[in-house]
Amino acid sequence: MANDINRFQAIISHCKEYGFIFPSSEIYDGLQAVYDYGQMGVELKKNIKDYWWKSMTQLQDNIVGIDAAIFMHPTTWKASGHVDNFNDPMIDNKDSKKRYRVDHLIETFAEEQSATGNEQLAKEVLEQMDALLAKDDFAGLKKLIEDNKIKCAVSGTSNWTEIRQFNLMFSTEFGSTEASEIPPSGGGGANKVYLRPETAQGIFVNFLNVQKTGRMKIPFGIAQIGKAFRNEIVARQFIFRMREFEQMEMQFFIRPGSQKEWYEYWKEERMKWHLGLGIPKEKFRFHDHIKLAHYADAACDIEFEFPMGFKELEGIHSRTDFDLKNHQEYSKKKMQYFDNDMDSATGKAYGNYIPFVIETSIGLDRMFLAVISHAYEEQDLSTPDKPDSRAVLKLPAQLAPIKLAVLPLTKKDGLPEVAERIMSDCRPHFRCFYEEKDSIGKRYRRMDALGTPFCVTVDHQTLQDDTVTIRYRDTMQQERIPLDKVREIVMAAVQ
Ligand code: GAP
């Protein structure tokens, strides 16, 4: 456990030191649970987005993408149930005044118990918590906390308030505060708008726009990548739980009654997507939801083994017709689809219906954390006469921020000119990086730390025979290859 915590700390430091992730507005001491992606992080994040987007849209004939606005008419959130139901049970410690999400408080207690060998108690407490949460039994949850003498990490006391619900949506005022701008049907005050807590609703309200203009036939999907905002009360664990984050969501519209089959289909597809990156399957597991969200008739998470243990990475939800039905009711606009395919059971066309939906929803930042934490390795490379080590990011080549580093051995003798020729050949096809400072060993180490899968070194032999040394990040092996093969080798690995 201590090792895992140290590893997590090392990953956080590595992210900062090598330009992947910085605390937001750091010069003002940061803003809790908000982070900025640096010059390397933004590339890795974009590559993860592209990998998801390609597999969900380009490689699927019946899924298209959209990019809806973050602000939506406030009635959206009334219809979706977020105004009334997007709450978390919270408890405050009266001595420290610190507020905890009840499930996180109990989960942390359970983790501590299993770390000290008390697996049985951890299991029982979690089972009881799941059952009580499923019934919204707050008195029972408080009793569970008291019976187990769960303490506040700050005050060390068990002096707890009652459990209360807090809404997680951020709100702001819209425009010029003209009361007429937003119809009073908006949830809350006339000018109150919310920062979307999920991207999904932008898809639901555009369901018919896309279906009609794209001539989509059920089953079909709409995918979207975008920012979401949640006022997480206990925001911690680096980019795992943030107040501003990005989601990659896909809503798949299907015939009512076919949801079990499609739910299983998407569970399997999404797991294949994760395994396609070469991360071993033991690092993933499914976790079925016992307490279902207000919109779902079945739901599970794909959990990943992060440095702090198995945690939710992606959700797969069978959302029924909940969202479209409610948007139809609140907007008074029909959300129906006309299906002229024959139902073999009745011999008639399926006709008009509100489609059911299977959703796949993955946090981009969580995927970033999964990828980088799996890739991070500290290796001891000492020999009997020389201590040595390296930190390496064994990122999948297609996700690596830089694919190729081009390194002239010296700054003179025409070597930079040859290196520049390789750069011009490769630059249009993938991201390469030119570096002539420092010893070659130091440059290799820096590229390892950035996750660059290939380095090529241009030396004096290159001038004689047009060959370069290619060095492979993971094995550190080097070989001599013809200069004009560099582009081809890298391209084969990164596509
Ligand atoms: N549209 C369904 C939905 O939003 P969710 O389980 O609340 O479902 C989906 O969120 C995914 O979004 C999660 O599996 C997680 O990866 C990511 N996510 C949720 N809250 C997050 C937060 N505060 N910080 C980072 N990622 C978050």
Side-chain angles (χ1 to χ4, degrees):
M1 186 75 172
N3 268 349
D4 291 344
I5 293 169
N6 290 344
R7 189 174 135 73
F8 195 20
Q9 281 311 321
I11 292 166
I12 297 170
S13 307
H14 191 90
C15 282
K16 176 146 188 243
E17 187 177 344
Y18 289 96
F20 284 89
I21 297 174
F22 308 122
S24 158
S25 27
E26 197 185 4
I27 57 166
Y28 297 104
D29 298 332
L31 186 62
Q32 213 199 4
V34 187
Y35 289 90
D36 297 340
Y37 285 82
Q39 69 283 6
M40 286 297 136
V42 74
E43 295 293 334
L44 174 54
K45 195 176 177 197
K46 183 180 174 300
N47 293 341
I48 297 173
K49 273 194 231 187
D50 290 348
Y51 177 65
W52 184 88
W53 190 255
K54 182 173 177 189
S55 80
M56 291 308 250
T57 63
Q58 188 181 328
L59 298 180
Q60 311 274 347
D61 291 340
N62 58 351
I63 303 182
V64 291
I66 62 165
D67 182 16
I70 287 171
F71 288 126
M72 300 183 69
H73 192 287
T75 310
T76 309
W77 306 110
K78 228 15 217 166
S80 69
H82 284 82
V83 170
D84 298 322
N85 296 314
F86 197 50
N87 303 313
D88 272 337
M90 301 286 174
I91 193 163
D92 293 19
N93 183 272
K94 289 185 197 162
D95 300 320
S96 67
K97 312 276 182 258
K98 200 167 157 41
R99 180 165 293 160
Y100 293 87
R101 237 174 85 172
V102 167
D103 55 337
H104 291 169
L105 183 68
I106 299 172
E107 272 167 14
T108 307
F109 171 76
E111 275 164 20
E112 285 162 5
Q113 294 307 309
S114 50
T116 51
N118 215 341
E119 302 280 351
Q120 186 56 29
L121 177 63
K123 191 165 162 286
E124 280 169 22
V125 166
L126 290 178
E127 277 168 11
Q128 286 174 40
M129 178 187 81
D130 282 344
L132 292 164
L133 280 172
K135 291 187 284 180
D136 281 335
D137 182 349
F138 295 157
L141 282 162
K142 176 145 191 230
K143 188 161 178 317
L144 183 67
I145 291 170
E146 285 170 346
D147 288 353
N148 286 285
K149 303 191 173 47
I150 298 180
K151 294 189 171 61
C152 164
V154 176
S155 67
T157 69
S158 303
N159 193 8
W160 298 109
T161 61
E162 293 308 308
I163 293 175
R164 284 172 298 160
Q165 297 266 46
F166 286 88
N167 194 287
L168 297 185
M169 281 197 292
F170 282 105
S171 63
T172 185
E173 298 286 310
F174 212 55
S176 63
T177 67
E178 278 289 326
S180 58
E181 277 190 24
I182 295 169
S185 58
N191 301 316
K192 190 172 178 179
V193 284
Y194 296 100
L195 274 71
R196 66 180 177 197
E198 62 170 11
T199 61
Q201 297 306 322
I203 295 179
F204 291 124
V205 299
N206 280 298
F207 157 68
L208 277 185
N209 283 339
V210 174
Q211 189 271 317
K212 292 202 166 117
T213 57
R215 300 173 176 196
M216 308 300 290
K217 264 185 79 105
I218 271 180
F220 74 91
I222 306 179
Q224 175 167 221
I225 301 177
K227 291 266 183 172
F229 303 82
R230 295 183 190 177
N231 198 359
E232 300 282 1
I233 306 296
V234 184
R236 54 183 178 165
Q237 291 170 330
F238 193 37
I239 56 168
F240 181 81
R241 194 175 306 287
M242 301 202 284
R243 296 202 163 102
E244 175 181 344
F245 58 100
E246 253 178 290
Q247 290 185 316
M248 306 191 285
E249 297 202 299
M250 193 278 299
Q251 312 297 323
F252 198 70
F253 299 93
I254 55 173
R255 277 187 197 129
S258 63
Q259 64 269 31
K260 277 207 174 68
E261 179 193 321
W262 282 114
Y263 176 64
E264 292 304 325
Y265 172 85
W266 280 110
K267 271 176 76 172
E268 206 178 302
E269 279 297 296
R270 293 304 303 147
M271 188 58 98
K272 273 197 227 152
W273 181 84
H274 287 285
L275 299 179
L277 280 173
I279 301 176
K281 65 173 184 306
E282 302 72 54
K283 299 287 283 182
F284 298 94
R285 68 181 187 197
F286 284 112
H287 173 254
D288 291 324
H289 286 201
I290 295 167
K291 180 173 164 49
L292 292 171
H294 57 274
Y295 49 73
D297 73 353
C300 69
D301 297 333
I302 294 180
E303 292 188 339
F304 179 77
E305 193 176 12
F306 289 97
M308 62 284 187
F310 271 100
K311 301 255 178 220
E312 174 184 349
L313 170 60
E314 169 158 12
I316 297 153
H317 311 126
S318 173
R319 288 185 82 126
T320 67
D321 56 358
F322 176 90
D323 302 88
L324 291 180
K325 204 161 77 187
N326 279 0
H327 286 306
Q328 174 168 291
E329 189 185 320
Y330 278 82
S331 68
K332 312 271 181 280
K333 307 272 168 24
K334 283 246 177 294
M335 284 288 168
Q336 292 191 338
Y337 170 82
F338 181 72
D339 190 340
N340 54 14
D341 279 2
M342 281 296 171
D343 179 352
S344 55
T346 63
K348 291 188 195 141
Y350 285 98
N352 272 315
Y353 56 80
I354 298 180
F356 271 41
V357 171
I358 304 296
E359 166 183 72
T360 73
S361 173
I362 176 167
L364 173 55
D365 313 86
R366 274 194 202 176
M367 187 61 196
F368 186 109
L369 184 59
V371 165
I372 208 159
S373 57
H374 179 65
Y376 180 79
E377 260 183 49
E378 284 170 21
Q379 297 178 338
D380 182 1
L381 305 174
S382 302
T383 55
D385 23 276
K386 193 167 148 245
D388 194 9
S389 66
R390 69 165 181 167
V392 55
L393 286 181
K394 290 187 167 176
L395 294 169
Q398 68 265 51
L399 301 185
I402 300 169
K403 313 297 187 195
L404 171 72
V406 183
L407 316 171
L409 192 62
T410 65
K411 291 184 205 168
K412 49 187 197 310
D413 302 335
L415 302 186
E417 287 74 6
V418 181
E420 183 45 49
R421 259 175 43 217
I422 301 175
M423 287 292 290
S424 334
D425 186 38
C426 295
R427 198 185 276 118
H429 304 281
F430 46 82
R431 185 165 276 269
C432 350
F433 182 78
Y434 177 86
E435 176 81 278
E436 54 182 30
K437 271 202 301 282
D438 291 329
S439 71
I440 201 75
K442 271 198 183 157
R443 282 184 268 171
Y444 283 156
R445 287 289 186 276
R446 185 166 166 77
M447 285 301 128
D448 290 343
L450 296 177
T452 306
F454 303 99
C455 292
V456 291
T457 304
V458 177
D459 57 18
H460 292 93
Q461 191 183 328
T462 313
L463 303 176
Q464 319 278 311
D465 62 5
D466 274 345
T467 63
V468 287
T469 301
I470 187 161
R471 176 190 181 268
Y472 303 99
R473 176 197 65 199
D474 296 354
T475 58
M476 294 190 289
Q477 277 178 349
Q478 304 183 13
E479 61 179 321
R480 214 72 214 175
I481 56 159
L483 186 154
D484 59 8
K485 286 267 176 256
V486 172
R487 168 155 63 106
E488 193 183 312
I489 291 174
V490 179
M491 281 189 78
V494 302
Q495 274 169 352

